[in-house]
Amino acid sequence: NANFSGTINGQLTVSSNAVANWTGGDLEGVLTVAQGGTLTITNTVTFDESSPYTNTATLTNYGTAIFSCTVDR
């Protein structure tokens, strides 16, 4: 299991059979959950909050994504 918070820049993949717990922050890049992977998001998550707004934040889910949070943007 991986526990983290803060801004995700660039690319991050939650691998098959991995569990990632994101306790809030800003998605500025690409976040992918692979088949068999699990992502849990708690607290508040913002998509592409930094100016200039480029709309490049992407979350792709092939596994399990559990949202127990507020999503802004």
Side-chain angles (χ1 to χ4, degrees), residues 6-67:
T7 299
I8 296 174
N9 289 309
Q11 186 171 351
L12 176 67
T13 299
V14 179
S15 301
S16 182
N17 298 317
V19 176
N21 301 303
W22 188 18
T23 58
D26 187 19
L27 180 60
E28 293 289 331
V30 177
L31 175 56
T32 303
V33 181
Q35 183 177 358
T38 302
L39 171 68
T40 301
I41 303 174
T42 57
N43 298 325
T44 300
V45 173
T46 305
F47 284 68
D48 195 23
E49 181 62 23
S50 297
S51 181
Y53 303 110
T54 57
N55 294 320
T56 57
T58 305
L59 189 149
T60 303
N61 179 32
Y62 298 109
T64 302
I66 302 167
F67 289 82

